[in-house]
Amino acid sequence: MIHVRLHPSNAILRAAARALLLASGAAAALAAGCAKSRFEPPAAIRAGSGAQIEEAKRLASAAQRADDEGRIEEAIDLYRRAIATYREFPGAWLNLGTLLMKNKQNIEAVEAFKVAADLSPTDPAPLFNIGVLWEQLGWLHDASKYYNEALQREPGYLNALRRSVHLDMLQDTASEVTLERLKRAMTLETDPNWKTAFDLYKRRIEQKLRPSRESVAG
């Protein structure tokens, strides 16, 4: 579980944190929020041909079924076989990393996510997942770095918007950039608990930024 220390007088932030615990299903389950790839494989795979690619697709689909049925070790083995058969398979690397993370094999998980990110340079999901891993381990600065990189790839990626804004609040690093991300997230959000958290965050950020805004205006 991620333990959050909040200043006892900060009622707004405490209330937002309570709302966010409801939204995230309690922070202990943070890893469950990892992005995964469903097969249908990526376009680069669909466009290919040959026995190796077809075998990799078959193995990845079997791994997906094993994962869905809770056979994690078997799914990991099948994903490993898929990428050994055809390395250029970002979805298989992404899902492998997610399962390795679930299995507490964190170093290998990060390596798998980085390969997925390299193979699919516009996809924010692998970088987001690295952020989730670091956040789960309590390395919030590193988590923020990867959430920011995910948002560079896709500014409207809601999962990364949520976690980026939330960590800025926890670390007391909220800025105009945070506020812009919060506004974007609020236009996309449908979860009522996250909406409540965002409303409270907005008040807190605007309160924090008011002195600097007034000095500029003056």
Side-chain angles (χ1 to χ4, degrees):
M1 177 179 291
I2 296 174
H3 296 282
V4 177
R5 295 183 180 274
L6 300 177
H7 193 283
S9 66
N10 195 336
I12 292 176
L13 191 50
R14 289 203 308 275
R18 286 194 296 271
L20 195 51
L21 285 175
L22 293 172
S24 59
L30 181 63
C34 274
K36 296 174 74 174
S37 173
R38 301 293 298 186
F39 300 101
E40 192 74 3
I45 301 295
R46 293 198 304 271
S49 61
Q52 284 186 320
I53 293 175
E54 292 306 313
E55 176 63 5
K57 288 163 60 176
R58 185 190 68 79
L59 289 166
S61 295
Q64 185 88 66
R65 290 192 297 273
D67 182 15
D68 291 343
E69 295 169 5
R71 293 178 279 118
I72 303 303
E73 295 293 344
E74 181 180 347
I76 289 173
D77 179 65
L78 286 164
Y79 280 128
R80 290 191 190 280
R81 289 168 58 191
I83 60 179
T85 302
Y86 183 72
R87 185 184 182 280
E88 310 298 308
F89 201 157
W93 283 102
L94 180 67
N95 289 1
L96 173 62
T98 302
L99 293 177
L100 291 169
M101 182 177 166
K102 186 183 296 185
N103 229 25
K104 307 300 182 184
Q105 296 170 254
N106 293 323
I107 293 176
E108 293 178 70
V110 170
E111 291 173 351
F113 291 142
K114 287 183 176 180
V115 174
D118 289 342
L119 291 174
S120 187
T122 62
D123 185 3
L127 298 173
F128 170 78
N129 284 1
I130 297 174
V132 170
L133 189 153
W134 290 128
E135 184 179 353
Q136 186 184 33
L137 295 175
W139 296 90
L140 303 189
H141 177 77
D142 296 279
S144 292
K145 171 180 177 289
Y146 280 98
Y147 293 148
N148 292 342
E149 290 185 15
L151 289 168
Q152 289 173 11
R153 291 188 171 192
E154 187 177 319
Y157 190 56
L158 181 58
N159 287 336
L161 287 170
R162 287 170 168 174
R163 303 313 309 176
S164 172
V165 170
H166 180 57
L167 290 194
D168 281 358
M169 298 302 295
L170 292 185
Q171 298 173 97
D172 195 26
T173 56
S175 64
E176 294 286 355
V177 171
T178 310
L179 188 59
E180 287 303 311
R181 288 179 177 174
L182 177 58
K183 290 177 182 176
R184 187 177 299 121
M186 292 175 80
T187 66
L188 300 170
E189 190 57 70
T190 59
D191 185 295
N193 291 307
W194 276 103
K195 285 183 175 182
T196 298
F198 286 158
D199 286 340
L200 293 165
Y201 285 169
K202 181 175 181 291
R203 290 167 52 196
R204 179 69 179 89
I205 295 171
E206 289 177 339
Q207 177 185 337
K208 176 183 179 179
L209 296 179
R210 186 175 300 118
S212 60
R213 287 176 166 182
E214 288 175 350
S215 66
V216 170

